[in-house]
Amino acid sequence: MRDDRMSGANLAHGPHALSIPGPSMAPERVLRAMHRPSPNIYQGALIDMTHSLIPDLKRVARTEHNATIYIGNGHAAWEACLANTHARGDLVLIPRTGSFADGWATMAEGLGLRVEMMDFGNRTPVDAAAVGARLREDKGHEIRSVLMVHVDTASSVRSDLAALRREIDAAGHPALLQADCIASMACDRFEMDAWGVDVAITGCQKGLMTPPGLCFVFYNDRADRARERADCVTGWWDWRPRTNPEVYFRYFNGTAPTHHLYGLREALDMIHEEGIEAVWARHAALARGVWAALSAWEAEGGLEMNVRDAAHRSHAVTSVRLPGEGTNLRDWCEREFGLTLGIGLGMAPPGTPEWHGFFRIGHMGHVSGHTVMGTLGTIEAGLSALGVPHGEGGLTAAARALAAG
Ligand SMILES: *Cc1c(COP(=O)(O)O)cnc(C)c1O
């Protein structure tokens, strides 16, 4: 441990925190709910509690349709939704706004699907009209699904799912709309049914505030009809027996993730006690505080937010360009103040000097005014210590924005 300060004091002792875009900070309440002896998995409280998760998950996704829980991370959710809706050789269209679309595409190719990517770069949202134009060209309806990442966690671009649905309908195209809401769910407003999303996926470790290990697939009856012709789904991934299990162990096709379920139960209680609308409003207000600080710091040109137009920025994560110093800043904040910031992802090739020119601030899940101010204060200390040119008044701007709500 290096000591830069004159006093020699080490300010990284005391509570350590993560401000990364997943996993997010698990609340004490969630951790305490998980800290218990192994429960009976054959009958009783665990079984009743598992049933109770389903309606509460659907309330978060704003759907009346189906919800399925898998043991797995977000990558598992990518595979789960594709395996249940496609036959080998199917064509899927992926509008891209950052590297998470690339990951989903790789998963699709691995399952034997054909992928057509429409690249909208790393800084601007999906142009729904352009996707609509592509669908109109597809007279034979070869495209079976449009796979859209709602919030790309690498670029922090948020795209408009409702607009994309309108374009699909206007084109008279039957493709399913599948949405990756892993970064956005319970952070950015998401309305599965009202927006006409057929399949939505998420994980438990971001807005849902539970340690990594569970993922969720929400799907409507149209998507379930596509299940009829799916030919790469194995028994383990099949969503049908999981959604309506005849016996408890079918929920998970094996041993239940007992402690994670207790953690998730508590996290859903927290979300519904606050109210999903209030959860979204909190994330929006905290994001405005983050952007206020960054806008002030940007004035000297040493750094800039990746997404220029606030209307297209995620409320869960903010990607920042800090040429030459991104890795140094992350290292400094970790070493000197005990705060872990997110690495840049997919913005420059790994191993190049450019790769080190980014960082990300996670402001998702169990975050409040004071945690966000702590993160921003740490970043400002790091910018000063490293001599990064930055405008004055970032913390004041953030405090004012947060105080104003
Ligand atoms: C985190 C994330 C993933 C991947 O989730 P893992 O749990 O890391 O597999 C996929 N898509 C988006 C948008 C994400 O934010």
Side-chain angles (χ1 to χ4, degrees), residues 21-22 72-76 78 100 149-153 180-184 203 205-206 212 364:
N73 54 20
H75 283 65
W78 276 341
F100 283 85
V149 177
H150 185 205
V151 162
D152 190 287
T153 323
D180 173 344
C181 301
I182 298 173
S184 58
Q205 78 273 25
K206 301 191 184 183
M364 51 171 58

PDB file of all heavy atoms in Angstrom, residues 21-22 72-76 78 100 149-153 180-184 203 205-206 212 364, ligand 1:
ATOM      1  N   PRO A  21     -20.929  -1.392 -12.424  1.00  0.00           N
ATOM      2  CA  PRO A  21     -22.257  -1.753 -12.946  1.00  0.00           C
ATOM      3  C   PRO A  21     -22.535  -3.253 -12.861  1.00  0.00           C
ATOM      4  O   PRO A  21     -22.793  -3.909 -13.855  1.00  0.00           O
ATOM      5  CB  PRO A  21     -22.204  -1.246 -14.389  1.00  0.00           C
ATOM      6  CG  PRO A  21     -20.756  -1.286 -14.746  1.00  0.00           C
ATOM      7  CD  PRO A  21     -19.983  -1.045 -13.487  1.00  0.00           C
ATOM      8  N   GLY A  22     -22.463  -3.759 -11.702  1.00  0.00           N
ATOM      9  CA  GLY A  22     -22.799  -5.142 -11.404  1.00  0.00           C
ATOM     10  C   GLY A  22     -21.549  -5.984 -11.187  1.00  0.00           C
ATOM     11  O   GLY A  22     -20.628  -5.915 -11.977  1.00  0.00           O
ATOM     12  N   GLY A  72     -27.946 -18.975 -12.662  1.00  0.00           N
ATOM     13  CA  GLY A  72     -26.992 -18.549 -13.690  1.00  0.00           C
ATOM     14  C   GLY A  72     -26.837 -17.042 -13.675  1.00  0.00           C
ATOM     15  O   GLY A  72     -27.574 -16.326 -12.993  1.00  0.00           O
ATOM     16  N   ASN A  73     -25.892 -16.564 -14.455  1.00  0.00           N
ATOM     17  CA  ASN A  73     -25.667 -15.125 -14.563  1.00  0.00           C
ATOM     18  C   ASN A  73     -26.374 -14.594 -15.815  1.00  0.00           C
ATOM     19  O   ASN A  73     -27.196 -15.292 -16.424  1.00  0.00           O
ATOM     20  CB  ASN A  73     -24.165 -14.826 -14.563  1.00  0.00           C
ATOM     21  CG  ASN A  73     -23.433 -15.612 -15.637  1.00  0.00           C
ATOM     22  OD1 ASN A  73     -24.041 -16.085 -16.597  1.00  0.00           O
ATOM     23  ND2 ASN A  73     -22.136 -15.762 -15.478  1.00  0.00           N
ATOM     24  N   GLY A  74     -26.043 -13.383 -16.206  1.00  0.00           N
ATOM     25  CA  GLY A  74     -26.691 -12.802 -17.371  1.00  0.00           C
ATOM     26  C   GLY A  74     -26.435 -13.587 -18.647  1.00  0.00           C
ATOM     27  O   GLY A  74     -27.316 -13.694 -19.511  1.00  0.00           O
ATOM     28  N   HIS A  75     -25.246 -14.151 -18.759  1.00  0.00           N
ATOM     29  CA  HIS A  75     -24.962 -14.968 -19.945  1.00  0.00           C
ATOM     30  C   HIS A  75     -25.923 -16.150 -20.051  1.00  0.00           C
ATOM     31  O   HIS A  75     -26.317 -16.550 -21.147  1.00  0.00           O
ATOM     32  CB  HIS A  75     -23.518 -15.485 -19.908  1.00  0.00           C
ATOM     33  CG  HIS A  75     -22.489 -14.446 -20.274  1.00  0.00           C
ATOM     34  ND1 HIS A  75     -22.254 -13.325 -19.512  1.00  0.00           N
ATOM     35  CD2 HIS A  75     -21.646 -14.365 -21.333  1.00  0.00           C
ATOM     36  CE1 HIS A  75     -21.298 -12.601 -20.086  1.00  0.00           C
ATOM     37  NE2 HIS A  75     -20.903 -13.206 -21.195  1.00  0.00           N
ATOM     38  N   ALA A  76     -26.280 -16.704 -18.915  1.00  0.00           N
ATOM     39  CA  ALA A  76     -27.242 -17.811 -18.911  1.00  0.00           C
ATOM     40  C   ALA A  76     -28.593 -17.324 -19.426  1.00  0.00           C
ATOM     41  O   ALA A  76     -29.282 -18.035 -20.176  1.00  0.00           O
ATOM     42  CB  ALA A  76     -27.370 -18.396 -17.509  1.00  0.00           C
ATOM     43  N   TRP A  78     -29.095 -14.945 -21.560  1.00  0.00           N
ATOM     44  CA  TRP A  78     -28.960 -14.821 -23.024  1.00  0.00           C
ATOM     45  C   TRP A  78     -29.257 -16.153 -23.705  1.00  0.00           C
ATOM     46  O   TRP A  78     -29.961 -16.231 -24.695  1.00  0.00           O
ATOM     47  CB  TRP A  78     -27.518 -14.406 -23.378  1.00  0.00           C
ATOM     48  CG  TRP A  78     -27.217 -12.939 -23.304  1.00  0.00           C
ATOM     49  CD1 TRP A  78     -28.097 -11.898 -23.316  1.00  0.00           C
ATOM     50  CD2 TRP A  78     -25.903 -12.352 -23.248  1.00  0.00           C
ATOM     51  NE1 TRP A  78     -27.418 -10.711 -23.262  1.00  0.00           N
ATOM     52  CE2 TRP A  78     -26.082 -10.954 -23.223  1.00  0.00           C
ATOM     53  CE3 TRP A  78     -24.607 -12.873 -23.225  1.00  0.00           C
ATOM     54  CZ2 TRP A  78     -25.003 -10.063 -23.176  1.00  0.00           C
ATOM     55  CZ3 TRP A  78     -23.536 -11.987 -23.177  1.00  0.00           C
ATOM     56  CH2 TRP A  78     -23.734 -10.603 -23.154  1.00  0.00           C
ATOM     57  N   PHE A 100     -22.263  -5.263 -25.250  1.00  0.00           N
ATOM     58  CA  PHE A 100     -23.145  -6.337 -24.787  1.00  0.00           C
ATOM     59  C   PHE A 100     -23.936  -6.964 -25.935  1.00  0.00           C
ATOM     60  O   PHE A 100     -24.268  -8.150 -25.891  1.00  0.00           O
ATOM     61  CB  PHE A 100     -24.018  -5.866 -23.622  1.00  0.00           C
ATOM     62  CG  PHE A 100     -23.205  -5.825 -22.354  1.00  0.00           C
ATOM     63  CD1 PHE A 100     -22.432  -4.709 -22.049  1.00  0.00           C
ATOM     64  CD2 PHE A 100     -23.136  -6.919 -21.522  1.00  0.00           C
ATOM     65  CE1 PHE A 100     -21.626  -4.685 -20.916  1.00  0.00           C
ATOM     66  CE2 PHE A 100     -22.329  -6.912 -20.379  1.00  0.00           C
ATOM     67  CZ  PHE A 100     -21.573  -5.788 -20.085  1.00  0.00           C
ATOM     68  N   VAL A 149     -30.509  -4.698 -26.633  1.00  0.00           N
ATOM     69  CA  VAL A 149     -30.038  -4.410 -25.281  1.00  0.00           C
ATOM     70  C   VAL A 149     -30.643  -3.063 -24.878  1.00  0.00           C
ATOM     71  O   VAL A 149     -30.436  -2.063 -25.556  1.00  0.00           O
ATOM     72  CB  VAL A 149     -28.495  -4.360 -25.241  1.00  0.00           C
ATOM     73  CG1 VAL A 149     -28.022  -3.994 -23.838  1.00  0.00           C
ATOM     74  CG2 VAL A 149     -27.904  -5.702 -25.681  1.00  0.00           C
ATOM     75  N   HIS A 150     -31.411  -3.058 -23.803  1.00  0.00           N
ATOM     76  CA  HIS A 150     -32.097  -1.826 -23.390  1.00  0.00           C
ATOM     77  C   HIS A 150     -31.064  -0.781 -22.963  1.00  0.00           C
ATOM     78  O   HIS A 150     -31.006   0.305 -23.523  1.00  0.00           O
ATOM     79  CB  HIS A 150     -33.071  -2.160 -22.241  1.00  0.00           C
ATOM     80  CG  HIS A 150     -33.915  -1.022 -21.798  1.00  0.00           C
ATOM     81  ND1 HIS A 150     -34.448  -0.956 -20.541  1.00  0.00           N
ATOM     82  CD2 HIS A 150     -34.332   0.098 -22.435  1.00  0.00           C
ATOM     83  CE1 HIS A 150     -35.165   0.164 -20.431  1.00  0.00           C
ATOM     84  NE2 HIS A 150     -35.103   0.816 -21.561  1.00  0.00           N
ATOM     85  N   VAL A 151     -30.260  -1.140 -21.962  1.00  0.00           N
ATOM     86  CA  VAL A 151     -29.138  -0.287 -21.552  1.00  0.00           C
ATOM     87  C   VAL A 151     -27.867  -1.076 -21.800  1.00  0.00           C
ATOM     88  O   VAL A 151     -27.674  -2.140 -21.206  1.00  0.00           O
ATOM     89  CB  VAL A 151     -29.237   0.091 -20.063  1.00  0.00           C
ATOM     90  CG1 VAL A 151     -27.892   0.589 -19.534  1.00  0.00           C
ATOM     91  CG2 VAL A 151     -30.309   1.147 -19.843  1.00  0.00           C
ATOM     92  N   ASP A 152     -27.032  -0.563 -22.694  1.00  0.00           N
ATOM     93  CA  ASP A 152     -25.744  -1.227 -22.886  1.00  0.00           C
ATOM     94  C   ASP A 152     -24.813  -0.775 -21.757  1.00  0.00           C
ATOM     95  O   ASP A 152     -24.456   0.409 -21.658  1.00  0.00           O
ATOM     96  CB  ASP A 152     -25.120  -0.913 -24.241  1.00  0.00           C
ATOM     97  CG  ASP A 152     -23.924  -1.817 -24.451  1.00  0.00           C
ATOM     98  OD1 ASP A 152     -22.883  -1.579 -23.779  1.00  0.00           O
ATOM     99  OD2 ASP A 152     -24.020  -2.772 -25.236  1.00  0.00           O
ATOM    100  N   THR A 153     -24.418  -1.719 -20.939  1.00  0.00           N
ATOM    101  CA  THR A 153     -23.678  -1.430 -19.719  1.00  0.00           C
ATOM    102  C   THR A 153     -22.257  -0.969 -20.013  1.00  0.00           C
ATOM    103  O   THR A 153     -21.615  -0.347 -19.167  1.00  0.00           O
ATOM    104  CB  THR A 153     -23.651  -2.707 -18.850  1.00  0.00           C
ATOM    105  OG1 THR A 153     -24.911  -3.346 -19.016  1.00  0.00           O
ATOM    106  CG2 THR A 153     -23.439  -2.386 -17.400  1.00  0.00           C
ATOM    107  N   ASP A 180     -32.727  -7.304 -23.610  1.00  0.00           N
ATOM    108  CA  ASP A 180     -31.775  -7.529 -22.522  1.00  0.00           C
ATOM    109  C   ASP A 180     -31.919  -6.359 -21.546  1.00  0.00           C
ATOM    110  O   ASP A 180     -31.504  -5.236 -21.851  1.00  0.00           O
ATOM    111  CB  ASP A 180     -30.354  -7.616 -23.094  1.00  0.00           C
ATOM    112  CG  ASP A 180     -29.281  -7.684 -21.997  1.00  0.00           C
ATOM    113  OD1 ASP A 180     -29.588  -7.371 -20.831  1.00  0.00           O
ATOM    114  OD2 ASP A 180     -28.127  -8.021 -22.329  1.00  0.00           O
ATOM    115  N   CYS A 181     -32.542  -6.651 -20.410  1.00  0.00           N
ATOM    116  CA  CYS A 181     -32.759  -5.617 -19.382  1.00  0.00           C
ATOM    117  C   CYS A 181     -31.888  -5.895 -18.165  1.00  0.00           C
ATOM    118  O   CYS A 181     -32.248  -5.552 -17.034  1.00  0.00           O
ATOM    119  CB  CYS A 181     -34.226  -5.590 -18.974  1.00  0.00           C
ATOM    120  SG  CYS A 181     -35.309  -5.249 -20.358  1.00  0.00           S
ATOM    121  N   ILE A 182     -30.750  -6.523 -18.390  1.00  0.00           N
ATOM    122  CA  ILE A 182     -29.920  -6.957 -17.258  1.00  0.00           C
ATOM    123  C   ILE A 182     -29.416  -5.741 -16.475  1.00  0.00           C
ATOM    124  O   ILE A 182     -29.411  -5.738 -15.247  1.00  0.00           O
ATOM    125  CB  ILE A 182     -28.775  -7.867 -17.745  1.00  0.00           C
ATOM    126  CG1 ILE A 182     -29.361  -9.135 -18.386  1.00  0.00           C
ATOM    127  CG2 ILE A 182     -27.847  -8.230 -16.585  1.00  0.00           C
ATOM    128  CD1 ILE A 182     -28.361 -10.056 -19.055  1.00  0.00           C
ATOM    129  N   ALA A 183     -29.022  -4.685 -17.193  1.00  0.00           N
ATOM    130  CA  ALA A 183     -28.548  -3.497 -16.478  1.00  0.00           C
ATOM    131  C   ALA A 183     -29.689  -2.569 -16.102  1.00  0.00           C
ATOM    132  O   ALA A 183     -29.554  -1.765 -15.186  1.00  0.00           O
ATOM    133  CB  ALA A 183     -27.549  -2.727 -17.340  1.00  0.00           C
ATOM    134  N   SER A 184     -30.795  -2.643 -16.824  1.00  0.00           N
ATOM    135  CA  SER A 184     -31.815  -1.603 -16.652  1.00  0.00           C
ATOM    136  C   SER A 184     -32.905  -1.977 -15.659  1.00  0.00           C
ATOM    137  O   SER A 184     -33.517  -1.082 -15.062  1.00  0.00           O
ATOM    138  CB  SER A 184     -32.457  -1.276 -18.005  1.00  0.00           C
ATOM    139  OG  SER A 184     -33.041  -2.427 -18.594  1.00  0.00           O
ATOM    140  N   GLY A 203     -30.765 -10.236 -14.681  1.00  0.00           N
ATOM    141  CA  GLY A 203     -30.016 -10.989 -13.681  1.00  0.00           C
ATOM    142  C   GLY A 203     -30.345 -10.425 -12.311  1.00  0.00           C
ATOM    143  O   GLY A 203     -30.977  -9.374 -12.191  1.00  0.00           O
ATOM    144  N   GLN A 205     -28.130  -9.477  -9.962  1.00  0.00           N
ATOM    145  CA  GLN A 205     -27.025  -8.815  -9.259  1.00  0.00           C
ATOM    146  C   GLN A 205     -26.859  -7.342  -9.597  1.00  0.00           C
ATOM    147  O   GLN A 205     -25.853  -6.753  -9.272  1.00  0.00           O
ATOM    148  CB  GLN A 205     -25.714  -9.562  -9.562  1.00  0.00           C
ATOM    149  CG  GLN A 205     -25.074  -9.283 -10.906  1.00  0.00           C
ATOM    150  CD  GLN A 205     -25.583 -10.165 -12.024  1.00  0.00           C
ATOM    151  OE1 GLN A 205     -26.701 -10.668 -11.966  1.00  0.00           O
ATOM    152  NE2 GLN A 205     -24.776 -10.355 -13.065  1.00  0.00           N
ATOM    153  N   LYS A 206     -27.850  -6.771 -10.274  1.00  0.00           N
ATOM    154  CA  LYS A 206     -27.710  -5.340 -10.603  1.00  0.00           C
ATOM    155  C   LYS A 206     -28.829  -4.594  -9.898  1.00  0.00           C
ATOM    156  O   LYS A 206     -28.787  -4.455  -8.686  1.00  0.00           O
ATOM    157  CB  LYS A 206     -27.654  -5.185 -12.116  1.00  0.00           C
ATOM    158  CG  LYS A 206     -26.453  -5.979 -12.666  1.00  0.00           C
ATOM    159  CD  LYS A 206     -26.104  -5.723 -14.091  1.00  0.00           C
ATOM    160  CE  LYS A 206     -24.960  -6.647 -14.508  1.00  0.00           C
ATOM    161  NZ  LYS A 206     -24.499  -6.432 -15.868  1.00  0.00           N
ATOM    162  N   PRO A 212     -24.628 -12.261  -7.260  1.00  0.00           N
ATOM    163  CA  PRO A 212     -24.773 -12.927  -8.559  1.00  0.00           C
ATOM    164  C   PRO A 212     -25.106 -14.409  -8.413  1.00  0.00           C
ATOM    165  O   PRO A 212     -24.595 -15.074  -7.511  1.00  0.00           O
ATOM    166  CB  PRO A 212     -23.397 -12.767  -9.209  1.00  0.00           C
ATOM    167  CG  PRO A 212     -22.681 -11.738  -8.438  1.00  0.00           C
ATOM    168  CD  PRO A 212     -23.338 -11.603  -7.102  1.00  0.00           C
ATOM    169  N   MET A 364     -26.492   1.819  -9.497  1.00  0.00           N
ATOM    170  CA  MET A 364     -27.651   0.950  -9.646  1.00  0.00           C
ATOM    171  C   MET A 364     -27.932   0.201  -8.345  1.00  0.00           C
ATOM    172  O   MET A 364     -27.020  -0.155  -7.604  1.00  0.00           O
ATOM    173  CB  MET A 364     -27.394  -0.077 -10.760  1.00  0.00           C
ATOM    174  CG  MET A 364     -26.077  -0.831 -10.622  1.00  0.00           C
ATOM    175  SD  MET A 364     -25.874  -2.224 -11.798  1.00  0.00           S
ATOM    176  CE  MET A 364     -26.023  -1.461 -13.390  1.00  0.00           C
TER     177      MET A 364
HETATM  178  C1  LIG B   1     -24.221  -7.536 -16.791  1.00  0.00           C
HETATM  179  C2  LIG B   1     -24.824  -7.641 -18.142  1.00  0.00           C
HETATM  180  C3  LIG B   1     -24.783  -8.826 -18.896  1.00  0.00           C
HETATM  181  C4  LIG B   1     -24.010 -10.025 -18.466  1.00  0.00           C
HETATM  182  O1  LIG B   1     -24.342 -10.487 -17.233  1.00  0.00           O
HETATM  183  P1  LIG B   1     -23.338 -11.534 -16.513  1.00  0.00           P
HETATM  184  O2  LIG B   1     -24.025 -11.760 -15.208  1.00  0.00           O
HETATM  185  O3  LIG B   1     -22.038 -10.838 -16.372  1.00  0.00           O
HETATM  186  O4  LIG B   1     -23.276 -12.746 -17.344  1.00  0.00           O
HETATM  187  C5  LIG B   1     -25.438  -8.844 -20.098  1.00  0.00           C
HETATM  188  N1  LIG B   1     -26.086  -7.782 -20.575  1.00  0.00           N
HETATM  189  C6  LIG B   1     -26.132  -6.613 -19.901  1.00  0.00           C
HETATM  190  C7  LIG B   1     -26.850  -5.446 -20.490  1.00  0.00           C
HETATM  191  C8  LIG B   1     -25.498  -6.509 -18.671  1.00  0.00           C
HETATM  192  O5  LIG B   1     -25.535  -5.347 -18.002  1.00  0.00           O
END
